[in-house]
Amino acid sequence: MADAASPESAATLILLLPVAVPLLAAPLVAAVGRWLPRLLVDALALAVAGSVLGLGVALAVLSRHHDVVITAGGWGDVQGHPVGIAVVADPASAGLVALAGFVTALVLVYTWRYFEDVDAIWHALLLVFLAALSGLVLVGDLFSLFVTLELVSVVGFVLTGYRVEAERSVQGALSFAVASTVGGVLSLVGIALVYARTGELGLAPVGRALAAGPHDALVPLSLGLVLVGYLVKAAAVPFHFWTAGAEMVAPTPVCIALSGVMVTTGVYAVGRIYHVAYQPALPAASVRPTLLGLAAVTALVGALMSLAQRHFKRMLAFSTIAHVGILLVGIGLLSPAGAAGAAIYAVGHAGAKGALFCVAGILLSRFDTVDEGQLHGRGRPLRGTAAVALLGGLALAGVPPFGTGLGKAVTEDAARRSGLTWLVPVLVLAAALTGAAVLRFSLRCFLGWGKPAREPGIEGRPDEEPEPDPPGRLLISAWLLLALSLGAGVAGTAWGAAAGDRLVDGAAYRHAVLVGAGPIRHATAPAGWVWGGVPLAVAPVLVALVVAVLWLAAPPRVDVARGVLALLSPLRRWHSGRVGDEVTWMLAGTVVIGLALFVASR
Amino acid sequence: MSVVLAVLLVATAVGAIAVVTCRDVASQAVVLGAYGFVLGALFLALSAPDVALSEVVVGSVLTPLLILLALVKVRGR
Amino acid sequence: MTSRQRRLVAVPVGAGLAVVLALAFHGLPAFGTAHHPYGDASVRAALALRHTANAVGSVTFDQRGLDTLFEEFILLAAVLGVRLLLRPAAGEHQGTDPDREPRSPAAVRATVLVLLGVTAVLSVSVVLHGHLSPGGGFQGGVLAASGLHLLYVGGGPRTLARFRPSAALELLEAAGAGGYVVIGLVGLVGSGSFLANDLPLGRTGSLLSAGTVPLLNIVVGFEVGAGLVLLLASYFAQERLAEGPR
Amino acid sequence: MTALAFGVAAVVLLAGLYGVVTSRDYLHLVVCLVVAQSSTYVLLLGIGYRAHATAPVFSDHPKGPVVDPVVQALTLTDVVVGATVLALLLALVVQAAKGAGGYCDPDALNDLHG
């Protein structure tokens, strides 16, 4: 037993506080919030989010040499069998806790004295969301992962449908809710299969038990089923349909939380579950093709659909899907370097995408629309907003030294080193096209480039909900989020390398839970900017600029916009917005993933 | 015991199909309530009295009630 | 897709899913197997270590109490969500209740009164014996909440509303959810583990046994009972809205 | 018996999902989701079942083998989650139908496409 004052002991004491503190504050503000001054409720919620950020940073520091492990309730083994729920912090999970705390804090700054109508329900829900995300990354148990996932879902779709008076907002929430529920059911079927085979629920004991065999169809198929729930949250194609709808219609601060943290958490869970619970039974070579195929399709579909949008929030939603593809490439490489790239990219993306959603919020509050055609040139007076939008677009394209650029460069390098060079153009294209879409929008809206007329073939989308105008704070949030993205690129190398290394080291995690934490090997090659990567970093930025400029300024004879939209029309028709279609494709994706994993494991 | 279990299992499958194929929501709520009772009996036979109690109060009382209330709201104007 | 096209796609997808399930379920152990390592360890932990007669209660509130904490907040979030989603939107106004509602026949009122008493006693007993016999905070809470709605049968919406003070129920619900966290934090302060069960364990089978398990059952009972009443109230309010003048 | 027990779970799941995919009414769709969810209860309790054993509740001290209490606790959680998600889904359907004039064909609520 560690000395009471030692850092190890402190780490085990604070390990569950990122869950407990917001969960204590949430019912408090829900119950007495209506009698408290609004200022006090705002301040309390902000303090809680800030404390989760602090706890996340502290845990990342305390876990840098070895995992911090506890069992909830202090349970040990009974008859040589673990009966409690393991909770584990390492640089990857603690970093995500900190990210969730940071983003939630900024969302609270954004919504300071916003949503006046409904007591303090907004704050309570946001705090529960934060606790759920913290729980999801910290717990090391399949069923606890499922419960936290359901909690994330429930709060997620309530927040999405927050403005009930907007019909489309409710539709977006419904589509999100149905997809989440179906994903949850399939995940639980997978968990039941694992439990039947191993008699375990903890990730580490499951990994140990599955290694013993038999290595039959149950193992790969249960992995496929378990992952579905997380792939829905991650918005991987074809589990992504809810995302575009939900993030288009949800209140802008909710989009920042969903896009910045929730999807990332989903991708993280995919990596964690594989490396700890399945890696001993399913070698990386049999899982990698499926994950990378899924990643590439996600990146390309998201990028192409993003380019086809003129509704700014929907454009950002599809770009999130593309960036989930990039994250999944990093995780799917199943190598330390790939995971390091994904870790840095996750933070860089949360910042850049959050800043762009702040731009959407500013535009909504000024003009009651985020339609590209209607906003033509109207953004000219908004100099600061324009700067954020252009920088955000460049960040999505991966311009150095943003975290998105560094994360992408590290991932590309990892792909090349794994002999999978075909992934590099996929990443370049995903970054370039999403960057192009945002740059095109920004140039048209803030500089008045291109024609004010509507693009052919896209119907206008009226009846946008006006959002309240918290003038200065929105821009402050945007700059802070951009700073986060920049910080990830400038100073994220050490953390990213540690997080990536530990995420893929399932053996160390299992050892820490089952035997006790020992010292871990340190990141072999710290990922960083390299001069050789400069052309690859610049390429997507150039492509993005060229596409954006061509779209807006090409002579009428070569109508780029019309051509691209015509090419993309089958893909756009695929996104029919009908829940029956969406579930059908989700199930088709489940079958394909399951069978691909099964065939590769033979 | 095994016969009872087999009968209840078959009844569960039949009940599920009956709920899904019932296209009128009002009668579907009633069928769902009955299905909840079948599940409760099955769980009791599987030696899970805790779950059986929950399933009966949730599946046969609360769930159909919520569906009917929602139905009144959606259709009943 | 049109619904016809979708059916055409759904057939191979459904067949594929059936194949996936068949292949995976083929690896399941025989139904009724005696091999339950986690289950056996849990039973032993419940009885020998925690003096909890109902092993399911021990797993739910002690060995895997963290899951139940999250579950309680799913419920809290859902109740907040339903209240939020079903709140009257701008432009809608609350329908007015009739000032007097017709009194139901004395026989009905008497039956309802008796039934109310029975459900009240039953739900309290189900909650308090959760660590001893099947039942617990959740089942008891649902029973109590459903039972309260007998007032609707016996009296009508106004009678129901009078016994449904929403501010008090909101406090009760929040206290239930927060109470779970507080019990967890007491464990953290007392013995260094969140949700540690370090109260006196008592004799297996007696009302005062199993340490924190009965306490957690009680807070969950409050949360579930109050939460469900609030949830149903939101639906009933919606119904009244539909009937009221527009 | 093994094939029957787990086969029933699979049939219930497929039936529920079939209903979700083909539904023409959002309320009906939500009920089908409830059915799909109930398949996990059958599967979990089937997995935890032990022949010739009693419920894991003791009046005195153990007399013989009992069925697995862990899956029962998991199923309990699952039942609660299912009920709360249902309440939320229904509230969303009520709101969606309000905009659509009481008409809630899922295929008609497709403003979010393209």
Side-chain angles (χ1 to χ4, degrees):
Chain A
M1 191 42 102
D3 173 33
S6 73
E8 286 76 17
S9 166
T12 58
L13 282 177
I14 65 169
L15 184 45
L16 269 173
L17 290 185
V19 174
V21 172
L23 286 190
L24 189 62
L28 188 71
V29 297
V32 299
R34 68 168 59 169
W35 293 296
L36 294 180
R38 178 60 195 253
L39 188 69
L40 196 63
V41 176
D42 276 327
L44 176 68
L46 190 59
V48 170
S51 72
V52 171
L53 166 63
L55 288 164
V57 171
L59 283 171
V61 172
L62 290 168
S63 65
R64 67 194 184 284
H65 297 305
H66 53 75
D67 289 357
V68 176
V69 184
I70 60 163
T71 313
W75 282 90
D77 285 4
V78 175
Q79 296 177 329
H81 199 284
V83 294
I85 296 168
V87 185
V88 184
D90 66 2
S93 56
L96 280 179
V97 169
L99 180 65
F102 182 82
V103 171
T104 310
L106 280 190
V107 168
L108 283 163
V109 170
Y110 180 154
T111 60
W112 191 267
R113 295 158 71 88
Y114 179 90
F115 289 138
E116 300 275 8
D117 49 343
V118 213
D119 304 335
I121 291 185
W122 165 258
H123 298 80
L125 286 171
L126 210 56
L127 291 176
V128 175
F129 196 60
L130 175 58
L133 290 169
S134 304
L136 180 58
V137 295
L138 291 173
V139 294
D141 182 284
L142 280 174
F143 193 75
S144 303
L145 274 165
F146 167 77
V147 182
T148 48
L149 180 77
E150 290 291 317
L151 183 54
V152 168
S153 311
V154 164
V155 185
F157 54 75
V158 172
L159 288 175
T160 302
Y162 197 86
R163 287 177 314 211
V164 287
E165 59 280 6
E167 191 185 320
R168 295 189 317 175
S169 150
V170 177
Q171 284 184 30
L174 253 178
S175 144
F176 184 8
V178 172
S180 293
T181 310
V182 172
V185 168
L186 294 172
S187 253
L188 190 55
V189 170
I191 294 168
L193 289 168
V194 177
Y195 183 78
R197 165 60 51 84
T198 62
E200 307 281 1
L201 288 169
L203 293 178
V206 163
R208 177 176 63 184
L210 281 180
H215 301 286
D216 59 359
L218 185 145
V219 181
L221 292 178
S222 68
L223 175 63
L225 288 167
V226 168
L227 291 189
V228 171
Y230 303 93
L231 291 173
V232 170
K233 285 291 159 306
V237 175
F239 309 98
H240 68 292
F241 292 98
W242 66 270
T243 320
E247 291 191 359
M248 177 177 168
V249 297
T252 309
V254 175
C255 299
I256 299 175
L258 295 184
S259 206
V261 203
M262 191 187 76
V263 296
T264 309
T265 316
V267 178
Y268 159 89
V270 169
R272 182 114 277 168
I273 290 171
Y274 167 73
H275 288 292
V276 182
Y278 280 89
Q279 176 262 324
L282 290 176
S286 71
V287 175
R288 196 180 286 125
T290 309
L291 288 182
L292 290 179
L294 185 75
V297 172
T298 304
L300 293 178
V301 169
L304 290 171
M305 283 300 290
S306 171
L307 197 62
Q309 304 303 319
R310 56 188 276 158
H311 183 286
F312 190 45
K313 283 169 79 178
R314 193 166 170 86
M315 177 192 292
L316 293 178
F318 276 112
S319 83
T320 298
I321 294 168
H323 298 133
V324 163
I326 296 180
L327 285 171
L328 268 174
V329 168
I331 295 292
L333 285 168
L334 305 178
S335 70
I344 299 167
Y345 196 87
V347 180
H349 169 253
K353 192 58 60 67
L356 287 169
F357 271 118
C358 288
V359 170
I362 293 171
L363 292 173
L364 275 175
S365 71
R366 292 291 170 101
F367 307 115
D368 291 351
T369 179
V370 284
D371 181 84
E372 192 176 327
Q374 291 178 29
L375 283 172
H376 179 260
R378 289 167 74 188
R380 279 200 189 94
L382 306 174
R383 297 278 172 80
T385 313
V388 173
L390 288 167
L391 281 175
L394 290 172
L396 292 197
V399 76
F402 280 102
T404 40
L406 178 60
K408 188 172 74 65
V410 173
T411 310
E412 283 163 350
D413 190 46
R416 270 205 309 273
R417 275 197 271 163
S418 301
L420 298 160
T421 318
W422 65 273
L423 286 167
V424 176
V426 172
L427 294 186
V428 169
L429 208 59
L433 294 183
T434 53
V438 171
L439 288 174
R440 185 194 75 205
F441 177 89
S442 309
L443 292 174
R444 175 139 43 192
C445 167
F446 296 105
L447 298 182
W449 287 28
K451 298 182 291 291
R454 293 187 166 181
E455 233 75 30
I458 309 180
E459 67 279 30
R461 295 184 182 280
D463 76 68
E464 211 58 54
E465 282 302 309
E467 294 203 354
D469 183 12
R473 282 192 307 279
L474 253 177
L475 210 50
I476 294 171
S477 298
W479 283 112
L480 284 172
L481 283 160
L482 270 186
L484 173 73
S485 185
L486 204 61
V490 175
T493 326
W495 171 76
D501 220 44
R502 299 280 278 281
L503 186 64
V504 299
D505 197 351
Y509 187 108
R510 286 189 295 275
H511 188 274
V513 171
L514 297 170
V515 184
I520 46 97
R521 64 186 170 81
H522 277 274
T524 38
W529 291 105
V530 279
W531 283 110
V534 169
L536 262 179
V538 175
V541 181
L542 287 179
V543 174
L545 283 168
V546 169
V547 171
V549 171
L550 270 182
W551 190 293
L552 295 173
R557 279 179 295 111
V558 273
D559 195 336
V560 179
R562 185 188 291 273
V564 173
L565 288 175
L567 275 176
L568 291 180
S569 67
L571 197 59
R572 292 177 55 225
R573 273 203 303 276
W574 189 43
H575 293 79
S576 64
R578 293 177 178 177
V579 75
D581 294 354
E582 298 178 2
V583 174
T584 308
W585 295 120
M586 266 183 72
L587 298 177
T590 310
V591 172
V592 170
I593 290 174
L595 291 181
L597 287 169
F598 169 62
V599 170
S601 72
R602 292 284 89 191
Chain B
M1 196 59 208
S2 155
V3 178
V4 176
L5 267 176
V7 170
L8 285 170
L9 281 167
V10 172
T12 302
V14 172
I17 292 169
V19 177
V20 170
T21 48
C22 182
R23 295 274 159 178
D24 170 50
V25 177
S27 26
Q28 201 188 17
V30 178
V31 180
L32 186 71
Y35 175 63
F37 261 109
V38 173
L39 280 179
L42 175 69
F43 298 165
L44 210 54
L46 287 168
S47 305
D50 278 277
V51 189
L53 185 55
S54 299
E55 177 57 34
V56 170
V57 292
V58 170
S60 308
V61 181
L62 193 62
T63 309
L65 176 63
L66 283 174
I67 291 167
L68 288 175
L69 284 172
L71 184 67
V72 168
K73 180 56 195 156
V74 169
R75 306 273 160 77
R77 49 173 80 187
Chain C
M1 291 189 282
T2 63
S3 80
R4 204 182 121 73
Q5 287 169 325
R6 192 187 306 150
R7 270 165 212 263
L8 286 178
V9 178
V11 169
V13 169
L17 201 57
V19 169
V20 166
L21 292 177
L23 278 170
F25 283 19
H26 187 68
L28 285 172
F31 179 70
T33 175
H35 181 70
H36 296 284
Y38 193 166
D40 292 343
S42 279
V43 170
R44 190 171 158 72
L47 284 178
L49 301 182
R50 292 296 157 83
H51 302 195
T52 311
N54 181 357
V56 182
S58 173
V59 176
T60 308
F61 290 104
D62 196 346
Q63 301 169 38
R64 301 186 62 86
L66 189 62
D67 284 349
T68 310
L69 171 70
F70 289 122
E71 179 204 311
E72 289 322 300
F73 279 85
I74 294 181
L75 193 71
L76 181 84
V79 173
L80 289 177
V82 169
R83 276 169 56 198
L84 188 75
L85 292 171
L86 295 185
R87 73 185 185 267
E92 286 180 329
H93 43 84
Q94 200 85 14
T96 46
D97 288 326
D99 280 341
R100 287 167 53 87
E101 43 197 26
R103 286 171 72 85
S104 31
V108 174
R109 275 183 292 141
T111 318
V112 162
L113 218 56
V114 171
L115 280 176
L116 257 179
V118 172
T119 8
V121 172
L122 191 65
S123 39
V124 169
S125 156
V126 166
V127 172
L128 290 182
H129 292 91
H131 55 304
L132 306 175
S133 57
F138 178 70
Q139 293 93 332
V142 180
L143 264 179
S146 322
L148 188 70
H149 289 80
L150 285 168
L151 285 170
Y152 191 86
V153 182
R158 265 182 84 80
T159 319
L160 177 60
R162 205 158 2 133
F163 290 91
R164 205 176 50 191
S166 46
L169 286 169
E170 282 166 31
L171 278 178
L172 203 59
E173 187 203 18
Y180 203 116
V181 185
V182 169
I183 294 174
L185 287 172
V186 168
L188 182 64
V189 173
S191 57
S193 288
F194 186 68
L195 285 172
N197 182 356
D198 54 1
L199 285 185
L201 293 170
R203 188 176 53 81
T204 310
S206 68
L207 200 56
L208 291 177
S209 64
T212 54
V213 176
L215 281 182
L216 290 171
N217 265 318
I218 291 171
V219 294
V220 168
F222 280 126
E223 201 224 321
V224 172
L228 281 184
V229 173
L230 286 170
L231 195 148
L232 286 167
S234 299
Y235 276 94
F236 277 112
Q238 277 283 314
E239 189 192 353
R240 216 165 53 229
L241 264 175
E243 293 159 358
R246 308 215 114 217
Chain D
M1 200 64 190
T2 305
L4 178 66
F6 300 131
V8 164
V11 166
V12 173
L13 176 63
L14 290 171
L17 291 176
Y18 171 81
V20 171
V21 167
T22 59
S23 187
R24 304 304 308 267
D25 180 333
Y26 237 123
L27 284 175
H28 175 269
L29 187 150
V30 170
V31 176
C32 292
L33 267 181
V34 173
V35 172
Q37 234 159 6
S38 70
S39 72
T40 58
Y41 316 157
V42 178
L43 179 62
L44 279 168
L45 293 180
I47 284 167
Y49 182 64
R50 169 181 288 184
H52 317 295
T54 55
V57 182
F58 305 93
S59 50
D60 203 347
H61 43 78
K63 293 185 193 72
V66 294
V67 302
D68 190 335
V70 177
V71 291
Q72 299 194 4
L74 305 190
T75 314
L76 272 179
T77 304
D78 197 16
V79 169
V80 181
V81 172
T84 52
V85 169
L86 170 86
L88 267 177
L89 275 165
L90 288 175
L92 285 169
V93 173
V94 166
Q95 286 298 344
K98 208 183 257 176
Y103 182 66
C104 53
D105 181 351
D107 284 356
L109 298 178
N110 65 341
D111 288 352
L112 307 174
H113 59 81

